[in-house]
Amino acid sequence: MTTNRVTQTPVPPKLACASACANIALIKYWGKSNAGKNRPAVPSLSLTLDALRTLTRVEFLSDLEMDEVTLDGVALDSGAGGRARTRVVNLLDRVRERAGIALHARVKSHNAFPTAAGLASSASGFAALALAASVAAGLEPSRADLSALARQSSASAARSLFGGYAVLEADAESAEALAEADHFPLSMLIALTRTGPKAVGSTEGMQHTARTSPFYPAWLEHAPILYREAKRAVLAKDFATLGACMEQSTLMMHSTMFAARPQLIYWAPASLRAIESVTALRKDGIPAYFTMDAGPHVKVLTLPEHAERVAQELERTEGVLSVLRSGPGHAARLIESAEFDDALGRAANEKTQTMGDR
Ligand code: PMV
């Protein structure tokens, strides 16, 4: 059989699955740079975590009239789901443009951690989506390309392309690896203090802070100083200095929000109680340090040998609903469809069992 169609590029695989872990910033980014395209105003340093993992499957199909996006079995279409869908479609559009394809995609994403808790899943979500969509579209991007692609959707997602410690410089296109997890193995405990999604998204929160907080210029000046000190501490495996920098970065970031007009307070009463538990542990000689992001949950960094003691202390804290235990996570990677299907099947089973237990 002959055909008069000439294909110069190889036929894209059309389907790819990826796994990526969320990361928690030890040194925070808060505020966009004037360079545009969602670049950060200040440098940040993160640890990627294995307990917060997203699996995503992307398939480009010729018979779809629009992109179909499903998160944990629920189609994203209207309301808050509509906003999330738009962010996904925008990333797909950038991939389609680069690959020169016009096909729509079926995207299925699964968060292997409690999404109802309002934990930031955008970092793992957009890192997994950037990888799966690029490969499904037949692109062969570098890790830096993928990091830049994810950054345009969520700047913290740029860091989730890397395992262990990653950095994202101010104004940077993409994040970079700083150190492997086994260079300085640490544990993180995540104390969940409230259920439900956050009231103010991080982009909106940052813009409001930059516009109205008199502390924002001080943040821009001091955040890079803390970043440089923390980076040296990771490389030197100096936990006490890293912990002190992390707590100061957290409180400086939240202070800029407290001073905004109107104020922006992500904290719940239990957030402060969890912080008090951490400082009490330190007085007892347990090395543990807290951090918080754009939400009420408290994340605690400690050495692996103290993780269980810290977790128990947090679990005993009034208002703490549950505690997730995490070690360092892997860099974003491709997975087989079978692994994706298994994870989805297991999640569906667990859901049925939990409902049966009620
Ligand atoms: O991922 P974004 O762009 O929505 O912003 C996340 C901001 C913080 O989580 C508060 C800090 C950070 O560096 O991750």
Side-chain angles (χ1 to χ4, degrees):
M1 202 180 84
T2 57
T3 166
N4 58 6
R5 225 181 78 199
V6 181
T7 312
Q8 284 180 329
T9 46
V11 178
K14 295 208 173 76
L15 182 145
C17 300
S19 163
C21 299
N23 67 80
I24 297 298
L26 311 185
I27 296 296
K28 308 295 178 188
Y29 128 71
W30 191 253
K32 315 275 184 200
S33 100
N34 296 331
K37 291 205 169 173
N38 208 32
R39 276 180 250 232
V42 293
S44 57
L45 186 164
S46 65
L47 181 62
T48 298
L49 297 181
D50 64 354
L52 306 177
R53 193 170 160 224
T54 300
L55 306 180
T56 299
R57 180 185 192 277
V58 177
E59 187 171 19
F60 286 101
L61 294 159
S62 50
D63 58 350
L64 292 182
E65 285 181 6
M66 59 189 289
D67 294 315
E68 284 178 17
V69 186
T70 314
L71 174 60
D72 289 327
V74 179
L76 298 183
D77 38 28
S78 56
R83 278 200 300 278
R85 185 179 183 284
T86 304
R87 291 175 77 190
V88 170
V89 171
N90 288 345
L91 189 150
L92 293 172
D93 284 343
R94 292 197 293 275
V95 169
R96 279 188 279 256
E97 195 187 326
R98 265 173 227 185
I101 60 171
L103 301 176
H104 286 113
R106 177 168 293 145
V107 177
K108 286 187 184 174
S109 199
H110 167 61
N111 285 330
F113 57 92
T115 8
L119 272 171
S121 51
S122 62
S124 49
F126 285 110
L129 180 67
L131 176 56
S134 299
V135 172
L139 296 169
E140 290 179 5
S142 66
R143 206 156 274 274
D145 293 336
L146 291 168
S147 175
L149 179 64
R151 188 211 78 243
Q152 290 182 57
S153 301
S154 156
S156 62
R159 301 183 306 236
S160 272
L161 268 302
F162 302 91
Y165 298 89
V167 292
L168 178 63
E169 298 285 346
D171 285 338
E173 271 283 318
S174 56
E176 290 163 57
L178 174 66
E180 294 294 329
D182 57 9
H183 159 78
F184 191 23
L186 295 175
S187 296
M188 195 166 266
L189 292 313
I190 302 168
L192 303 175
T193 58
R194 190 184 274 163
T195 54
K198 55 189 165 203
V200 182
S202 48
T203 297
E204 202 189 319
M206 285 175 204
Q207 283 162 351
H208 176 67
T209 310
R211 260 197 322 269
T212 67
S213 175
F215 292 177
Y216 187 70
W219 163 251
L220 293 181
E221 186 185 336
H222 290 280
I225 302 170
L226 266 182
Y227 165 75
R228 286 194 289 275
E229 190 182 356
K231 202 169 157 181
R232 283 196 299 273
V234 168
L235 296 173
K237 305 179 201 179
D238 175 352
F239 188 53
T241 303
L242 178 62
C245 290
M246 180 176 83
E247 291 191 347
Q248 196 180 0
S249 172
T250 301
L251 294 177
M252 260 169 37
M253 177 181 80
H254 282 280
S255 301
T256 63
M257 302 184 215
F258 295 162
R261 187 187 289 197
Q263 73 277 26
L264 180 53
I265 302 178
Y266 282 109
W267 298 36
S271 316
L272 189 53
R273 287 196 204 100
I275 287 175
E276 282 172 346
S277 296
V278 174
T279 46
L281 276 167
R282 250 194 344 256
K283 282 199 189 105
D284 282 353
I286 306 289
Y289 297 87
F290 66 83
T291 184
M292 287 175 66
D293 293 283
H297 310 305
V298 177
K299 294 108 185 189
V300 184
L301 195 63
T302 190
L303 302 174
E305 59 270 33
H306 297 296
E308 203 40 50
R309 166 82 200 276
V310 174
Q312 284 168 9
E313 201 58 39
L314 290 169
E315 274 162 351
R316 268 200 293 273
T317 303
E318 192 192 333
V320 169
L321 306 174
S322 61
V323 176
L324 301 178
R325 294 149 166 84
S326 189
H330 63 72
R333 60 174 160 79
L334 290 169
I335 56 171
E336 298 293 332
S337 295
E339 190 181 335
F340 179 85
D341 295 341
D342 279 359
L344 230 60
R346 269 200 310 277
N349 260 340
E350 277 163 24
K351 207 166 166 183
T352 321
Q353 273 173 16
T354 322
M355 284 161 75
D357 290 346
R358 272 188 198 150

